[in-house]
Amino acid sequence: GNSVTQMEGPVTLSEEAFLTINCTYTATGYPSLFWYVQYPGEGLQLLLKATKADDKGSNKGFEATYRKETTSFHLEKGSVQVSDSAVYFCALTAWMDSSYKLIFGSGTRLLVRP
Amino acid sequence: DGGITQSPKYLFRKEGQNVTLSCEQNLNHDAMYWYRQDPGQGLRLIYYSQIVNDFQKGDIAEGYSVSREKKESFPLTVTSAQKNPTAFYLCASSPRGVADTQYFGPGTRLTVL
């Protein structure tokens, strides 16, 4: 079936450290891939997306590359800030039950310490 | 500013009462969605609507109902039949359908006492 698997958190880093949050997926066809971010007590904000293999999505210093050969879409940032502390969700669109669905991973909490 | 609004931000209800959560968007999006989020978990789809006067059940529709009388509005009613209604509810919209990028509102935290 279609699913998204993210690394479990929390991920705790010091400010200016390098960030990687792993995301792998299982899907039929050619899904679009997304990273959303959720700050405490708020809704989800789209961080970046990629719609086909080898596309790189980027925004606010975050990047992720759509890797079809490894079915991955890992999120990276070269230097994190305290303000990046949030929960990050990887997601894909998949054709299921006669319609497209947005399938989410369980989320990875990032805590950045000063 | 264009966006999605949900009200109220916090809602408390007694067990056995129905409650309606509001979702409004001024993005001129065709499709709207309701998700439920429980602590430490991802989002689960409750209902979605791709056009006015039409909606479909998601993965966890039991105990919920919706209406889509206007393009801008997609209210969710949590009925007394929902066995565990305490959760964070998120509304989203997208330009045409689920294959498009979805944009989310700020959420409503419902607590049933």
Side-chain angles (χ1 to χ4, degrees), chain A residues 94-107:
Chain A
W95 180 257
M96 297 173 64
D97 302 324
S98 304
S99 67
Y100 280 103
K101 299 271 179 70
L102 186 58
I103 308 297
F104 287 89
S106 57

PDB file of all heavy atoms in Angstrom, chain A residues 94-107:
ATOM      1  N   ALA A  94      -1.304  10.077  -3.085  1.00  0.00           N
ATOM      2  CA  ALA A  94      -1.415   8.748  -3.671  1.00  0.00           C
ATOM      3  C   ALA A  94      -2.832   8.507  -4.145  1.00  0.00           C
ATOM      4  O   ALA A  94      -3.789   9.021  -3.547  1.00  0.00           O
ATOM      5  CB  ALA A  94      -1.032   7.699  -2.626  1.00  0.00           C
ATOM      6  N   TRP A  95      -2.943   7.718  -5.197  1.00  0.00           N
ATOM      7  CA  TRP A  95      -4.264   7.349  -5.701  1.00  0.00           C
ATOM      8  C   TRP A  95      -4.738   6.141  -4.898  1.00  0.00           C
ATOM      9  O   TRP A  95      -4.149   5.072  -4.954  1.00  0.00           O
ATOM     10  CB  TRP A  95      -4.182   7.027  -7.186  1.00  0.00           C
ATOM     11  CG  TRP A  95      -5.493   6.644  -7.812  1.00  0.00           C
ATOM     12  CD1 TRP A  95      -5.926   5.398  -8.140  1.00  0.00           C
ATOM     13  CD2 TRP A  95      -6.544   7.530  -8.186  1.00  0.00           C
ATOM     14  NE1 TRP A  95      -7.175   5.451  -8.697  1.00  0.00           N
ATOM     15  CE2 TRP A  95      -7.583   6.744  -8.747  1.00  0.00           C
ATOM     16  CE3 TRP A  95      -6.715   8.925  -8.113  1.00  0.00           C
ATOM     17  CZ2 TRP A  95      -8.772   7.310  -9.234  1.00  0.00           C
ATOM     18  CZ3 TRP A  95      -7.887   9.471  -8.603  1.00  0.00           C
ATOM     19  CH2 TRP A  95      -8.901   8.687  -9.145  1.00  0.00           C
ATOM     20  N   MET A  96      -5.801   6.312  -4.122  1.00  0.00           N
ATOM     21  CA  MET A  96      -6.305   5.261  -3.260  1.00  0.00           C
ATOM     22  C   MET A  96      -7.825   5.315  -3.237  1.00  0.00           C
ATOM     23  O   MET A  96      -8.389   6.401  -3.088  1.00  0.00           O
ATOM     24  CB  MET A  96      -5.803   5.437  -1.811  1.00  0.00           C
ATOM     25  CG  MET A  96      -4.321   5.334  -1.623  1.00  0.00           C
ATOM     26  SD  MET A  96      -3.827   5.750   0.069  1.00  0.00           S
ATOM     27  CE  MET A  96      -4.616   4.441   0.992  1.00  0.00           C
ATOM     28  N   ASP A  97      -8.452   4.152  -3.347  1.00  0.00           N
ATOM     29  CA  ASP A  97      -9.906   4.097  -3.212  1.00  0.00           C
ATOM     30  C   ASP A  97     -10.596   5.069  -4.161  1.00  0.00           C
ATOM     31  O   ASP A  97     -11.492   5.809  -3.760  1.00  0.00           O
ATOM     32  CB  ASP A  97     -10.336   4.385  -1.766  1.00  0.00           C
ATOM     33  CG  ASP A  97      -9.721   3.433  -0.770  1.00  0.00           C
ATOM     34  OD1 ASP A  97      -9.562   2.247  -1.119  1.00  0.00           O
ATOM     35  OD2 ASP A  97      -9.394   3.870   0.353  1.00  0.00           O
ATOM     36  N   SER A  98     -10.143   5.092  -5.388  1.00  0.00           N
ATOM     37  CA  SER A  98     -10.766   5.877  -6.464  1.00  0.00           C
ATOM     38  C   SER A  98     -10.603   7.383  -6.288  1.00  0.00           C
ATOM     39  O   SER A  98     -11.374   8.151  -6.872  1.00  0.00           O
ATOM     40  CB  SER A  98     -12.253   5.536  -6.598  1.00  0.00           C
ATOM     41  OG  SER A  98     -12.424   4.161  -6.812  1.00  0.00           O
ATOM     42  N   SER A  99      -9.644   7.818  -5.495  1.00  0.00           N
ATOM     43  CA  SER A  99      -9.376   9.249  -5.404  1.00  0.00           C
ATOM     44  C   SER A  99      -7.958   9.451  -4.880  1.00  0.00           C
ATOM     45  O   SER A  99      -7.344   8.520  -4.355  1.00  0.00           O
ATOM     46  CB  SER A  99     -10.380   9.944  -4.478  1.00  0.00           C
ATOM     47  OG  SER A  99     -10.193   9.524  -3.149  1.00  0.00           O
ATOM     48  N   TYR A 100      -7.446  10.671  -5.047  1.00  0.00           N
ATOM     49  CA  TYR A 100      -6.143  10.989  -4.481  1.00  0.00           C
ATOM     50  C   TYR A 100      -6.288  11.240  -2.983  1.00  0.00           C
ATOM     51  O   TYR A 100      -7.267  11.822  -2.523  1.00  0.00           O
ATOM     52  CB  TYR A 100      -5.566  12.241  -5.142  1.00  0.00           C
ATOM     53  CG  TYR A 100      -4.933  11.984  -6.475  1.00  0.00           C
ATOM     54  CD1 TYR A 100      -5.584  12.306  -7.658  1.00  0.00           C
ATOM     55  CD2 TYR A 100      -3.668  11.408  -6.557  1.00  0.00           C
ATOM     56  CE1 TYR A 100      -4.999  12.074  -8.883  1.00  0.00           C
ATOM     57  CE2 TYR A 100      -3.076  11.164  -7.785  1.00  0.00           C
ATOM     58  CZ  TYR A 100      -3.754  11.505  -8.940  1.00  0.00           C
ATOM     59  OH  TYR A 100      -3.177  11.282 -10.153  1.00  0.00           O
ATOM     60  N   LYS A 101      -5.309  10.809  -2.225  1.00  0.00           N
ATOM     61  CA  LYS A 101      -5.270  11.080  -0.794  1.00  0.00           C
ATOM     62  C   LYS A 101      -3.898  11.650  -0.447  1.00  0.00           C
ATOM     63  O   LYS A 101      -2.900  11.324  -1.093  1.00  0.00           O
ATOM     64  CB  LYS A 101      -5.477   9.791   0.012  1.00  0.00           C
ATOM     65  CG  LYS A 101      -6.806   9.090  -0.229  1.00  0.00           C
ATOM     66  CD  LYS A 101      -7.880   9.575   0.698  1.00  0.00           C
ATOM     67  CE  LYS A 101      -9.219   8.899   0.437  1.00  0.00           C
ATOM     68  NZ  LYS A 101      -9.227   7.492   0.820  1.00  0.00           N
ATOM     69  N   LEU A 102      -3.851  12.462   0.588  1.00  0.00           N
ATOM     70  CA  LEU A 102      -2.587  12.964   1.113  1.00  0.00           C
ATOM     71  C   LEU A 102      -2.250  12.095   2.324  1.00  0.00           C
ATOM     72  O   LEU A 102      -2.995  12.095   3.304  1.00  0.00           O
ATOM     73  CB  LEU A 102      -2.715  14.436   1.498  1.00  0.00           C
ATOM     74  CG  LEU A 102      -1.465  15.182   1.931  1.00  0.00           C
ATOM     75  CD1 LEU A 102      -0.406  15.152   0.852  1.00  0.00           C
ATOM     76  CD2 LEU A 102      -1.801  16.615   2.307  1.00  0.00           C
ATOM     77  N   ILE A 103      -1.154  11.359   2.240  1.00  0.00           N
ATOM     78  CA  ILE A 103      -0.763  10.410   3.280  1.00  0.00           C
ATOM     79  C   ILE A 103       0.394  11.013   4.070  1.00  0.00           C
ATOM     80  O   ILE A 103       1.411  11.393   3.482  1.00  0.00           O
ATOM     81  CB  ILE A 103      -0.312   9.074   2.663  1.00  0.00           C
ATOM     82  CG1 ILE A 103      -1.363   8.540   1.689  1.00  0.00           C
ATOM     83  CG2 ILE A 103       0.001   8.058   3.759  1.00  0.00           C
ATOM     84  CD1 ILE A 103      -2.677   8.223   2.305  1.00  0.00           C
ATOM     85  N   PHE A 104       0.238  11.085   5.393  1.00  0.00           N
ATOM     86  CA  PHE A 104       1.244  11.701   6.255  1.00  0.00           C
ATOM     87  C   PHE A 104       2.062  10.648   7.001  1.00  0.00           C
ATOM     88  O   PHE A 104       1.542   9.602   7.381  1.00  0.00           O
ATOM     89  CB  PHE A 104       0.573  12.592   7.298  1.00  0.00           C
ATOM     90  CG  PHE A 104       0.017  13.871   6.758  1.00  0.00           C
ATOM     91  CD1 PHE A 104      -1.281  13.937   6.278  1.00  0.00           C
ATOM     92  CD2 PHE A 104       0.803  15.009   6.721  1.00  0.00           C
ATOM     93  CE1 PHE A 104      -1.794  15.118   5.777  1.00  0.00           C
ATOM     94  CE2 PHE A 104       0.300  16.196   6.220  1.00  0.00           C
ATOM     95  CZ  PHE A 104      -0.995  16.255   5.743  1.00  0.00           C
ATOM     96  N   GLY A 105       3.313  10.987   7.244  1.00  0.00           N
ATOM     97  CA  GLY A 105       4.090  10.266   8.238  1.00  0.00           C
ATOM     98  C   GLY A 105       3.656  10.702   9.625  1.00  0.00           C
ATOM     99  O   GLY A 105       2.825  11.600   9.782  1.00  0.00           O
ATOM    100  N   SER A 106       4.237  10.087  10.646  1.00  0.00           N
ATOM    101  CA  SER A 106       3.807  10.356  12.023  1.00  0.00           C
ATOM    102  C   SER A 106       4.441  11.610  12.612  1.00  0.00           C
ATOM    103  O   SER A 106       4.101  12.008  13.718  1.00  0.00           O
ATOM    104  CB  SER A 106       4.121   9.154  12.915  1.00  0.00           C
ATOM    105  OG  SER A 106       5.490   8.860  12.846  1.00  0.00           O
ATOM    106  N   GLY A 107       5.359  12.233  11.875  1.00  0.00           N
ATOM    107  CA  GLY A 107       5.958  13.470  12.353  1.00  0.00           C
ATOM    108  C   GLY A 107       7.243  13.240  13.127  1.00  0.00           C
ATOM    109  O   GLY A 107       7.406  12.221  13.805  1.00  0.00           O
TER     110      GLY A 107
END
